[in-house]
Amino acid sequence: MLKKLRQILATVSIIMVTLLFLDFTGTAHAWLGWMAKIQFLPALLSLNVAVIISLVLLTLLLGRVYCSVICPLGIMQDGFAWIGKKVHKNRYSYSPALTALRYIMLAVLAGGIIAGIGAVVALLAPYSAYGRLAQSILAPAWAWCNNQLASWAERADSYAFYSVDIWLKGGATLVVASVTLVVLAVLAWRNGRTYCNTICPVGTMLGFLSRYSIFKPVIDTSRCNGCGLCARNCKSACIDSKTHTIDYSRCVACMDCIGKCHKGAISFTRPSAVKSAHEENRAGATDAGGKATDASRRKFLSITATATVAAAVNAQEKVVDGGLAVIVDKKAPDRRTRIVPPGALSIANLTSHCTACQLCVSACPNGVLRPSTDLATFMQPYSSYERGYCRPECTRCSDACPTGAIRPITEADKSSVKIGHAVWVKQNCVPLTDGVECGNCARHCPTGAISMVPSDPADETSVKIPVVNDERCIGCGACENLCPARPYSAIYVEGHEVHRII
């Protein structure tokens, strides 16, 4: 019963999280955005005290159920492990914990957070790893299926679906996501929860707490016949059937062992409720070393507090030619300072809080956000205006971000946040290169920051060129995106390190 309940909750959970990355209408974010905010590391980085306390209490009560019910990467691995069971049953065995490796990975994550090395956090955060898989691999497949439905519906004179563009937002991110998928699939198919109990720093952190959980799987030695079936079905490799012990720091409370035991020797309960000789002996040993236990608990609380403080410190692509000629795709200019979306406050704030989960990239309806390829900010979002511009009325990315890297912002506030300024490039401007009137940038500037003036001050009839009022420009990129010059726009946005209100 417990196993079935866990499977149902896990299935619902991973579907809801996945929909956040697949939905291009914004509907899922309105209803399911809280699923991203209850993930452990995003909650820790955003200092969401309520969520952190809730997850800590949940772990102290039921053990690492977070890993098997809430974490999408853990649930995905259970799916691969289930496939592996169909091929070869009873294939697991107990193995000692790789404690040193687990602590090293936790220290690496803490060091990455303190030092502001976003690439380290991005590669180790389990929720972010799943987000990359969903955004880079599943989302294009989902969009392709949607486009097929839109095509079929159009033939039937129905417009219940509409086509969307399918394009590669980040080649490096796709490579990382693909490698991650293959590695996790192989590990889970062969050995179950190897990644969760050796590499994942969140699993290690929760493992500290789960040792002291009130309810946990407990072996009743008076009923156990030593068949070892529980150990051979434990994907966490944490059950030693020879000594009748369970390593609760690695147990993810999947309940598989309970369902496999034919003697009813394993139950999910309080350890004190199972009266067995084995447990009595262990209780006696614990009483004898009471001081050591207290010291161990103090050490655990000290490490947890230190880690917490450290974290707190710191459509298929269309070519429109109008029947005349192929329009050359725009190329991104060489910006000296990258652009980050309104709500990020500054590049430093985004870098220190972002886990590169790609949720904002997936949520952006204008094709502005994409993952970075720079090592210092690897896979973190930045803005580029080749496909669209940052519309003043859109706040999707700030609504979706679960870590505080992009803070919530209202439409009114966004219109006054200066994230960059426009720069005119004389040699690319169409009125000067082709001798024709243009003014696209001035017409579409939402803040009226661009004016058209005669190119020759002495001749009022000369072709007009744009002049930018830096004090009114907010860096939305409408001018850059809508400029007809190709391949580089005659006007582009230079980012600001720190945003300000105008």
Side-chain angles (χ1 to χ4, degrees):
M1 179 61 183
L2 289 175
K3 179 181 176 180
K4 291 294 183 184
L5 178 61
R6 192 267 304 170
Q7 290 175 333
I8 292 172
L9 292 175
T11 302
V12 172
S13 178
I14 194 171
I15 289 174
M16 290 194 296
V17 172
T18 304
L19 284 176
L20 289 177
F21 293 91
L22 302 186
D23 177 53
F24 48 79
T25 65
T27 306
H29 290 274
W31 292 94
L32 305 175
W34 58 273
M35 282 299 299
K37 292 178 171 59
I38 65 172
Q39 302 299 320
F40 189 86
L41 198 55
L44 189 63
L45 290 174
S46 63
L47 295 181
N48 193 329
V49 178
V51 172
I52 294 172
I53 292 177
S54 299
L55 292 177
V56 168
L57 292 177
L58 178 65
T59 306
L60 288 174
L61 180 65
L62 302 175
R64 283 175 58 182
V65 292
Y66 169 87
C67 299
S68 57
V69 174
I70 300 176
C71 176
L73 196 71
I75 299 170
M76 183 192 75
Q77 290 177 79
D78 283 347
F80 288 122
W82 178 80
I83 296 174
K85 281 185 178 181
K86 297 298 181 181
V87 178
H88 180 48
K89 297 181 179 180
N90 305 324
R91 70 191 192 283
Y92 302 127
S93 62
Y94 172 77
S95 61
L98 299 176
T99 306
L101 178 59
R102 298 172 72 188
Y103 290 163
I104 288 172
M105 299 311 299
L106 180 58
V108 169
L109 176 67
I113 294 174
I114 296 172
I117 305 176
V120 173
V121 181
L123 291 173
L124 292 180
Y127 164 71
S128 299
Y130 183 80
R132 289 191 291 273
L133 295 176
Q135 191 275 324
S136 302
I137 299 175
L138 297 181
W142 179 270
W144 182 85
C145 292
N146 169 82
N147 288 353
Q148 297 306 307
L149 289 174
S151 177
W152 297 335
E154 185 179 358
R155 295 192 189 103
D157 293 328
S158 171
Y159 296 92
F161 301 91
Y162 61 90
S163 297
V164 295
D165 286 340
I166 303 174
W167 57 287
L168 183 61
K169 296 181 179 179
T173 304
L174 175 61
V175 171
V176 172
S178 301
V179 172
T180 302
L181 178 62
V182 172
V183 171
L184 290 181
V186 172
L187 288 176
W189 184 80
R190 290 173 58 87
N191 302 307
R193 289 280 189 141
T194 300
Y195 173 85
C196 298
N197 287 326
T198 55
I199 304 298
C200 180
V202 174
T204 301
M205 198 176 300
L206 294 178
F208 283 128
L209 296 170
S210 63
R211 295 180 182 183
Y212 309 106
S213 61
I214 297 174
F215 294 95
K216 58 186 70 174
V218 181
I219 301 175
D220 185 349
T221 54
S222 64
R223 294 185 178 184
C224 179
N225 63 357
C227 67
L229 198 58
C230 55
R232 285 181 280 140
N233 284 275
C234 177
K235 52 179 170 277
S236 295
C238 65
I239 301 179
D240 187 350
S241 57
K242 295 181 180 179
T243 60
H244 302 92
T245 57
I246 299 176
D247 182 355
Y248 294 113
S249 70
R250 290 186 289 161
C251 176
V252 295
C254 67
M255 314 300 175
D256 287 354
C257 56
I258 297 176
K260 287 295 181 179
C261 183
H262 302 313
K263 301 295 182 180
I266 305 180
S267 57
F268 191 74
T269 184
R270 292 179 294 110
S272 59
V274 179
K275 302 300 181 181
S276 65
H278 176 68
E279 290 300 321
E280 289 174 2
N281 291 336
R282 290 189 63 194
T286 302
D287 291 339
K291 293 183 178 180
T293 300
D294 291 340
S296 176
R297 293 197 179 196
R298 283 195 298 271
K299 183 179 179 180
F300 156 70
L301 293 175
S302 172
I303 293 174
T304 302
T306 302
T308 303
V309 171
V313 170
N314 295 287
Q316 298 137 344
E317 192 169 340
K318 300 181 178 73
V319 177
V320 180
D321 58 14
L324 298 175
V326 175
I327 297 178
V328 178
D329 289 337
K330 276 184 176 289
K331 292 183 179 180
D334 185 15
R335 309 182 207 271
R336 289 174 295 179
T337 305
R338 68 190 179 108
I339 310 169
V340 294
L345 304 182
S346 66
I347 292 178
N349 178 73
L350 184 138
T351 302
S352 62
H353 287 82
C354 180
T355 62
C357 71
Q358 309 302 306
L359 188 55
C360 59
V361 176
S362 177
C364 180
N366 306 311
V368 169
L369 294 182
R370 67 272 320 259
S372 171
T373 56
D374 292 339
L375 289 179
T377 58
F378 192 47
M379 295 185 292
Q380 292 185 351
Y382 73 97
S383 300
S384 199
Y385 302 129
E386 294 79 67
R387 288 179 168 267
Y389 65 93
C390 192
R391 298 180 181 273
E393 73 277 6
C394 177
T395 60
R396 291 270 193 90
C397 60
S398 66
D399 296 336
C401 181
T403 67
I406 306 175
R407 306 290 177 85
I409 189 172
T410 64
E411 293 180 14
D413 290 338
K414 183 179 178 181
S415 299
S416 60
V417 175
K418 188 178 183 67
I419 63 175
H421 65 277
V423 178
W424 180 55
V425 183
K426 180 179 180 180
Q427 59 268 29
N428 293 347
C429 197
V430 171
L432 298 179
T433 58
D434 297 353
V436 296
E437 295 291 340
C438 181
N440 243 21
C441 52
R443 279 195 299 272
H444 295 285
C445 178
T447 62
I450 303 177
S451 303
M452 301 300 292
V453 301
S455 57
D456 183 358
D459 183 6
E460 289 293 331
T461 62
S462 61
V463 293
K464 294 184 177 181
I465 57 175
V467 173
V468 180
N469 183 346
D470 284 348
E471 291 303 315
R472 300 188 67 175
C473 177
I474 60 175
C476 68
C479 55
E480 178 181 333
N481 174 251
L482 298 170
C483 177
R486 294 293 190 278
Y488 294 102
S489 295
I491 191 166
Y492 75 96
V493 177
E494 191 65 56
H496 286 179
E497 290 277 351
V498 180
H499 299 172
R500 66 181 179 89
I501 305 296
I502 61 172

